[in-house]
């Protein structure tokens, strides 16, 4: 993969850790923000411009491939979107910037294949903490079709990734709804004007509307 990239590198956590994160500013991507094929931005942290300038070497560009390189989420990868462009990553997330020979989205999806995921596992030596170094990432074996074919494959998989992300969000919403119903229906002396039958009907309609066709 080293022959297909212009950058392979990760960032670092700003001095002060969580205490320096802000509610606005430059997005700061951590491993929990990188899913398998999609970003998870519900709890995205931010840093101010002063800290961003100190970490300028890890500034994100749209279509950078992000790869988790440590811990239990090692191997998870996603594409940097316009939403996080100009942000930064910490030391647990690697930025892989593709050159003109490969589509970034194709590369991101290729890393998700069993071939590369198994290769990542093979590089782990059984130490106390899993981790990938940059030379190992550059050694990933990649087979390339033409750019036109790469783009077709990437477009198809993008649509599936979008659907997966949507379904995951629906599942999380339903879990929260279930917890709320349990609290209401199983708490003694709770007064409510809602009817469980109405709730079931609403859930059924939602499931039907979101069914995969």
């Amino acid at each position: 993969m080293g022959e297909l990239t212009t950058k392979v590198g990760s960032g670092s956590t700003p001095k002060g850790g969580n205490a320096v994160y802000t509610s606005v500013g430059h997005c700061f991507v951590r491993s929990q923000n990188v899913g398998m094929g999609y970003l998870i931005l519900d709890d995205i942290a931010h840093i101010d411009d002063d800290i961003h300038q100190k970490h300028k070497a890890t500034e994100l560009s749209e279509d950078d491939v992000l790869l988790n390189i440590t811990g239990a989420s090692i191997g998870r990868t996603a594409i940097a979107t316009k939403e996080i462009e100009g942000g930064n990553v910490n030391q647990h997330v690697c930025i892989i910037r593709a050159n003109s020979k490969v589509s970034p989205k194709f590369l991101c999806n290729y890393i998700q294949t069993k071939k590369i995921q198994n290769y990542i596992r093979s590089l782990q030596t059984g130490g106390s903490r899993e981790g990938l170094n940059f030379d190992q990432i550059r050694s990933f074996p990649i087979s390339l079709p033409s750019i036109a074919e790469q783009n077709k494959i990437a477009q198809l998989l993008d649509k599936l990734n979008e659907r997966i992300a949507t379904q995951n969000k629906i599942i999380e919403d339903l879990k929260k709804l279930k917890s709320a119903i349990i609290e209401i229906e199983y708490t003694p002396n709770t007064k409510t004007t809602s009817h469980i039958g109405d709730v079931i009907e609403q859930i059924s309609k939602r499931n039907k509307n979101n069914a995969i066709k």
Side-chain angles (χ1 to χ4, degrees), residues 59-170:
E59 182 173 357
L60 285 165
S61 297
E62 186 176 6
D63 288 336
D64 280 344
V65 178
L66 305 180
L67 174 67
N68 286 354
I69 57 174
T70 65
S73 67
I74 189 170
R76 291 200 322 219
T77 182
I79 285 285
T81 61
K82 191 74 174 177
E83 190 173 1
I84 63 171
E85 185 178 23
N88 301 87
V89 299
N90 69 5
Q91 69 272 26
H92 306 298
V93 181
C94 180
I95 298 172
I96 302 172
R97 191 162 294 157
N99 62 24
S100 59
K101 296 179 182 179
V102 63
S103 158
K105 291 182 179 179
F106 176 87
L107 187 58
C108 179
N109 285 302
Y110 200 97
I111 293 172
Q112 297 171 50
T113 64
K114 287 183 179 180
K115 175 181 178 180
I116 300 301
Q117 291 295 311
N118 288 339
Y119 185 73
I120 289 172
R121 283 191 285 271
S122 76
L123 294 172
Q124 307 310 302
T125 58
S128 59
R129 184 174 179 84
E130 296 174 318
L132 286 171
N133 62 49
F134 303 146
D135 286 338
Q136 289 173 332
I137 294 169
R138 294 187 186 98
S139 76
F140 287 180
I142 307 292
S143 301
L144 288 182
S146 68
I147 283 288
E149 189 65 21
Q150 290 177 39
N151 289 332
K152 288 180 182 178
I153 295 169
Q155 287 173 8
L156 171 61
L157 295 177
D158 270 354
K159 293 184 182 299
L160 292 175
N161 282 332
E162 288 173 7
R163 188 64 183 182
I164 290 169
T166 299
Q167 292 300 316
N168 285 339
K169 181 64 167 61
I170 291 170

